[in-house]
């Protein structure tokens, strides 16, 4: 037993040592990797780059920035690197003592310090690189800026007259650029490369704006000094010429508008001198648009004059024709009212359109008079003529409809009278048909319908005898009478069909009567309704119900035979 305990102890110890060895190895691997990173950081040429830049003559912002980089390097060299060594050594010692938790803490601190050193070094090297590069870029950019400045100044000396009153402003901007060029040289000589960089960038922007002004100002001055005044003068001349030709143009208020435009042009000249070129460009475009709108208006007046000359007489003739139609319609109404009743609302429609025609006539007379006195624009006259034409066309349609309604009164009267006679003949024919069918009698319901039909026709005939004749009332009674006749005819057809079907059903059911007492009783009851009170539909329902109990679907055979006019036994 003791031997087994001993073996177990040895195994546990072996496992512990094995695990410790593995853990130690992993930590040393991490420590070695961190050590390698430390060496890589220490080998970076930060001090060399700082020394290289230090040889330059630095002042101002550049010197302040360089000092901040050197302070950052001093912190790395005197504090962060020693801390890094201490943490690495601590990690190794804790690993040797199998204090793996503490070793991990030290290793994590090492990683953090490495990260901090790496970040600061990159900032320093990037800043130094940009500083050196800025010196090179400054040299290239200032050379290009001086060339551009020379070109612009030469252009101003040669073509300054094209700049007008803006020349003094441009020369002032050139002087400012020259001062900034000198300032750049001074900053460079002093070693303030960063502020020199800002200066050269500002110079590039100022020269670009200056070149843009040199390009735009001559054309904008031409617009304000020549083109716009010339266009306004031509607009005034065109206006005067049209006014002399008899056009009414006072509504344009051109004199006031041209004065306003002239003030606007003067204002634009001041903006050119002030260098507000974008505002000037927008103003010039707006003035051109306004002038073009005036030309469009004048052109429309020319087109409107042509329209008025071609259509005024046409519209006048159309109006006079429609007023003549209106007068004739008034006479027709007088004649019709002697025979027929014309509703007040219908007369109101006529009176309304007649009044509208008079209003349009007055409107046309006003336009004609103002045209002769040159007190209305042709465009306004055109609009009025079109409006009158549209209204007269609408009135013509309404009057045509009203006239047609008046003409149809006599036609409807004659048709109603003829139809009243037709309906009486139809009732007579219907009664004759029922007589030919030799029915046992007519049910009370049908007799009531006949009496109602007679009353409807009498009402229609009575309305046709009234003076004046109210055709609306006639038409109403006429419609009721036609509906009643249609209903009466349907009832007669239904009654005749039921009579025939009852006869066929009873005839067919007689084959079962002797051996089926219930059927015999039902058939006798059906016959009582058939012969005594003439309830043919009820008789049919009783007979069919009784027969279907004996022979299902028998009634379908009987119906089919009746429709085909064959013997029921021939139905398949």
């Amino acid at each position: 037993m003791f031997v087994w305990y001993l073996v177990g102890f040895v195994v546990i110890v072996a496992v512990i040592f094995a695990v410790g060895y593995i853990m130690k190895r992993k930590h040393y691997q991490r420590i070695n990797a961190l050590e390698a990173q430390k060496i890589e950081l220490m080998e970076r040429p930060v001090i060399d780059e700082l020394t290289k830049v230090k040889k330059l003559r630095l002042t101002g912002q550049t010197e302040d920035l360089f000092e901040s980089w050197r302070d950052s390097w001093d912190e790395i060299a005197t504090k962060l690197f020693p801390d890094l060594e201490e943490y690495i050594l601590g990690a190794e010692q804790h690993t040797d003592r199998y204090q793996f938790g503490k070793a991990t803490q030290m290793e994590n601190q090492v990683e953090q310090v490495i990260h901090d050193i790496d970040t600061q070094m990159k900032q320093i090297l990037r800043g130094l690189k940009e500083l050196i590069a800025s010196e090179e870029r400054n040299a290239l950019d200032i050379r290009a800026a001086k060339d551009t400045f020379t070109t612009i100044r030469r252009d101003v000396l040669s073509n300054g007259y094209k700049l007008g009153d803006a020349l003094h402003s441009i020369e002032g901007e050139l002087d400012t650029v020259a001062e900034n060029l000198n300032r750049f040289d001074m900053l460079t000589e002093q070693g303030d490369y960063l502020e020199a960089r800002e200066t050269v960038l500002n110079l590039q922007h100022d020269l670009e704006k200056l070149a843009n002004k040199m390009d735009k100002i001559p054309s904008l001055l031409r617009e304000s000094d020549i083109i716009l005044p010339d266009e306004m003068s031509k607009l005034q001349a065109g206006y005067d010429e049209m006014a002399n030709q008899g056009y009414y143009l006072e509504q344009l208020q051109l004199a006031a508008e041209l004065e306003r435009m002239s003030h606007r042009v003067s204002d634009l000249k001041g903006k050119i001198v002030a260098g507000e070129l974008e505002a000037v460009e927008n103003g010039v475009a707006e003035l051109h648009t306004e002038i073009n709108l005036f030309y469009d208006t004048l052109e429309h007046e020319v087109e409107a004059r042509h329209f008025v000359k071609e259509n005024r007489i046409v519209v006048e003739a159309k109006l006079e024709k429609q007023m003549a139609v209106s007068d004739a319609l008034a006479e027709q109404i007088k004649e019709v009212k002697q025979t027929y009743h014309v509703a007040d609302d219908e007369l109101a429609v006529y009176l309304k359109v007649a009044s509208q025609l008079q209003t349009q006539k007055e409107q046309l007379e006003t336009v004609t008079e103002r045209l002769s006195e040159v007190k209305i624009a042709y465009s306004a006259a055109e609009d009025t003529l079109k409006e009158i034409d549209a209204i007269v066309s609408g009135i013509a349609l309404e009057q045509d409809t009203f006239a047609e309604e008046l003409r149809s009164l006599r036609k409807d009267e004659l048709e109603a009278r003829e139809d009243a006679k037709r309906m009486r003949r139809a009732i007579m024919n219907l009664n004759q048909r029922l007589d030919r069918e030799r029915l046992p009698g007519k049910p009370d319901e049908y007799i009531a319908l006949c009496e109602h039909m007679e009353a409807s026709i009498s009402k229609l005939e009575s309305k046709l005898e009234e003076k004046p004749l109210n055709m609306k009332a006639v038409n109403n009674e006429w419609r009721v009478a036609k509906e009643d006749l249609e209903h009466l005819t349907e009832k007669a057809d239904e009654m005749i069909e039921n009579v025939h079907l009852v006869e066929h059903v009873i005839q067919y059911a007689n084959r079962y009567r002797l051996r089926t007492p219930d059927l015999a009783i039902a058939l006798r009851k059906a016959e009582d309704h058939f012969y005594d009170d003439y309830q043919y539909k009820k008789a049919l329902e009783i007979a069919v119900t009784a027969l279907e109990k004996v022979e299902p679907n028998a009634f379908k055979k009987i119906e089919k035979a009746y429709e085909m006019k064959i013997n029921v036994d021939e139905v398949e």
Side-chain angles (χ1 to χ4, degrees):
M1 179 65 77
F2 174 76
V3 173
W4 287 108
Y5 279 122
L6 182 60
V7 172
F9 176 76
V10 171
V11 170
I12 291 172
V13 171
V15 169
I16 290 172
F17 272 105
V19 171
Y21 174 75
I22 292 171
M23 293 294 291
K24 244 178 119 173
R25 184 177 178 186
K26 285 185 177 179
H27 277 277
Y28 272 118
Q29 287 177 343
R30 187 181 180 189
I31 291 169
N32 290 336
L34 294 172
E35 180 73 22
Q37 292 180 38
K38 181 199 74 172
I39 293 171
E40 189 273 329
L41 291 174
M42 296 181 72
E43 289 178 350
R44 288 184 185 177
V46 177
I47 191 65
D48 293 340
E49 294 298 323
L50 285 169
T51 302
K52 188 187 301 182
V53 172
K54 180 61 178 174
K55 293 178 181 179
L56 298 174
R57 194 167 46 170
L58 304 177
T59 61
Q61 293 182 19
T62 309
E63 184 178 16
D64 294 339
L65 190 59
F66 177 79
E67 290 300 329
S68 69
W69 294 332
R70 190 163 62 179
D71 291 342
S72 181
W73 170 249
D74 289 342
E75 181 187 9
I76 293 171
T78 60
K79 184 178 184 305
L80 296 182
F81 272 135
D83 288 347
L84 193 60
E85 290 287 356
E86 183 180 345
Y87 293 146
I88 291 175
L89 180 60
E92 290 175 346
Q93 291 174 350
H94 287 305
T95 300
D96 290 338
R97 297 169 186 168
Y98 296 92
Q99 295 173 340
F100 300 124
K102 293 182 179 180
T104 299
Q105 291 178 0
M106 287 292 180
E107 291 162 5
N108 290 341
Q109 287 181 314
V110 170
E111 284 187 343
Q112 182 60 49
V113 174
I114 286 175
H115 176 268
D116 293 342
I117 293 173
D118 178 63
T119 301
Q120 291 188 42
M121 279 187 168
K122 286 179 178 177
Q123 290 176 346
I124 294 170
L125 290 171
R126 183 167 54 249
L128 292 171
K129 183 178 179 181
E130 289 177 358
L131 178 59
I132 295 171
S134 68
E135 182 188 14
E136 297 172 354
R137 287 197 301 271
N138 284 352
L140 294 173
D141 291 343
I142 198 63
R143 189 179 304 117
K146 289 180 178 180
D147 291 342
T148 302
F149 172 75
T150 301
T151 301
I152 294 175
R153 187 166 58 180
R154 186 185 303 118
D155 191 20
V156 169
L157 292 173
S158 303
N159 303 301
Y161 65 94
K162 295 181 180 179
L163 300 175
D165 293 338
L167 175 61
H168 181 70
S169 174
I170 295 296
E171 288 175 339
E173 292 186 42
L174 280 173
D175 292 341
T176 301
V177 170
E179 292 174 4
N180 285 328
L181 286 171
N182 293 332
R183 185 170 184 273
F184 172 85
D185 293 337
M186 179 188 70
L187 290 169
T188 303
E189 290 175 4
Q190 292 175 351
D192 195 347
Y193 302 107
L194 293 181
E195 192 168 349
R197 184 63 192 162
E198 291 179 11
T199 301
V200 77
L201 292 176
N202 291 333
L203 278 167
Q204 289 177 331
H205 177 70
D206 293 342
L207 287 168
E208 184 179 350
K209 285 177 59 178
L210 199 53
N212 185 52
K213 288 182 179 180
M214 289 290 295
D215 181 56
K216 290 183 176 181
I217 286 175
S219 61
L220 293 177
L221 284 173
R222 187 168 180 272
E223 286 282 352
S224 63
D225 293 341
I226 301 174
I227 296 177
L228 285 171
D230 184 55
E231 287 189 4
M232 288 188 286
S233 177
K234 288 179 180 178
L235 178 60
Q236 181 68 65
Y239 175 93
D240 293 339
E241 182 180 354
M242 289 181 64
N244 292 332
Q245 292 175 2
Y247 286 89
Y248 178 83
L249 302 173
E250 291 182 14
Q251 77 280 7
L252 299 182
Q253 299 289 307
L254 185 64
E257 289 297 316
L258 287 176
E259 184 178 359
R260 180 186 60 80
M261 289 185 204
S262 296
H263 289 310
R264 187 84 183 276
V265 170
S266 298
D267 181 59
L268 292 178
K269 290 181 180 179
K271 290 184 182 298
I272 292 173
V273 175
E276 301 174 19
L277 302 189
E278 185 176 354
V280 175
E281 288 175 325
N282 293 333
V284 167
E286 290 171 2
L287 284 171
H288 279 299
T289 300
E290 291 181 25
I291 291 171
N292 289 334
L293 285 175
F294 274 106
Y295 275 116
D296 291 342
T297 303
L298 293 176
E299 183 178 351
H300 180 55
E301 286 298 319
V302 174
E303 295 170 352
R305 184 182 192 180
H306 180 68
F307 176 89
V308 170
K309 286 187 175 180
E310 283 193 345
N311 293 277
R312 187 185 63 80
I313 297 176
V314 174
V315 173
E316 183 178 10
K318 185 175 181 180
L319 178 59
E320 290 176 353
K321 176 185 176 182
Q322 204 56 46
M323 293 190 76
V325 170
S326 181
D327 293 339
L329 192 57
E331 292 298 322
Q332 188 178 354
I333 290 172
K334 289 180 182 179
E335 295 175 4
V336 168
K337 286 184 69 176
Q338 296 175 3
T339 305
Y340 300 98
H341 172 76
V342 181
D344 291 339
D345 57 344
E346 293 177 338
L347 288 176
V349 171
Y350 163 74
L351 293 173
K352 176 185 174 183
V353 297
S355 174
Q356 287 179 331
L357 284 173
Q358 183 60 36
T359 300
Q360 300 312 308
K361 180 181 179 181
E362 294 171 0
Q363 188 88 330
L364 182 60
E365 289 174 350
T366 300
V367 169
T368 302
E369 180 181 354
R370 295 184 69 186
L371 281 171
S372 64
E373 297 174 352
V374 193
K375 290 184 178 180
I376 186 174
Y378 282 105
S379 56
E382 178 187 13
D383 293 339
T384 303
L385 288 176
K386 288 180 177 179
E387 182 181 357
I388 293 172
D389 183 68
I391 291 174
V392 171
S393 296
I395 289 174
L397 292 176
E398 291 186 50
Q399 290 188 327
D400 287 346
T401 301
F402 188 58
E404 181 60 32
E405 289 175 356
L406 293 178
R407 286 192 294 270
S408 68
L409 289 174
R410 179 60 179 166
K411 177 184 175 183
D412 290 347
E413 176 198 357
L414 294 176
E415 188 176 344
R417 290 183 184 279
E418 183 61 33
D419 206 34
K421 295 176 183 178
R422 179 191 65 79
M423 287 188 284
R424 286 201 175 278
R425 289 195 300 271
I427 293 173
M428 185 183 301
N429 293 335
L430 193 58
N431 288 329
Q432 290 175 355
R433 179 185 170 197
L434 292 175
D435 292 341
R436 287 195 300 272
E437 294 293 338
R438 298 183 182 279
L439 303 179
K442 298 175 183 176
D444 294 341
E445 180 185 4
Y446 182 77
I447 293 173
L449 286 174
C450 288
E451 293 174 351
H452 185 71
M453 182 72 238
E454 174 64 29
S456 295
I457 295 176
S458 296
K459 286 182 180 179
L460 172 59
E461 291 171 339
S462 175
K463 290 294 180 183
L464 285 168
E465 297 306 318
E466 291 180 357
K467 298 297 181 182
L469 194 59
N470 188 336
M471 284 307 298
K472 280 193 175 180
V474 169
N475 288 330
N476 184 57
E477 296 298 339
W478 188 8
R479 176 184 56 78
V480 171
K482 287 192 285 187
E483 291 175 355
D484 289 346
L485 179 60
E486 184 178 350
H487 188 207
L488 182 65
T489 303
E490 290 175 356
K491 285 296 181 182
D493 292 339
E494 180 185 346
M495 182 172 62
I496 293 171
E497 183 176 349
N498 287 338
V499 166
H500 288 301
L501 286 173
V502 168
E503 291 174 344
H504 282 73
V505 169
I506 292 176
Q507 183 180 1
Y508 184 85
N510 282 335
R511 64 183 68 184
Y512 300 110
R513 187 191 287 256
L514 294 178
R515 61 176 183 271
T516 312
D518 291 342
L519 175 63
I521 294 171
L523 291 178
R524 282 195 297 273
K525 188 175 180 181
E527 289 167 349
D528 290 342
H529 285 298
F530 187 87
Y531 291 107
D532 295 341
D533 54 13
Y534 318 126
Q535 297 293 318
Y536 305 119
K537 183 176 181 180
K538 190 172 184 179
L540 178 62
E541 291 174 351
I542 293 171
V544 169
T545 301
L547 177 60
E548 290 287 325
K549 290 180 180 179
V550 178
E551 183 183 339
N553 298 322
F555 183 60
K556 288 185 178 179
K557 292 170 56 178
I558 295 170
E559 276 189 312
K560 189 173 182 181
Y562 174 73
E563 292 172 359
M564 298 176 66
K565 299 181 180 180
I566 60 176
N567 190 284
V568 69
D569 293 326
E570 297 177 10
V571 176
E572 297 180 357

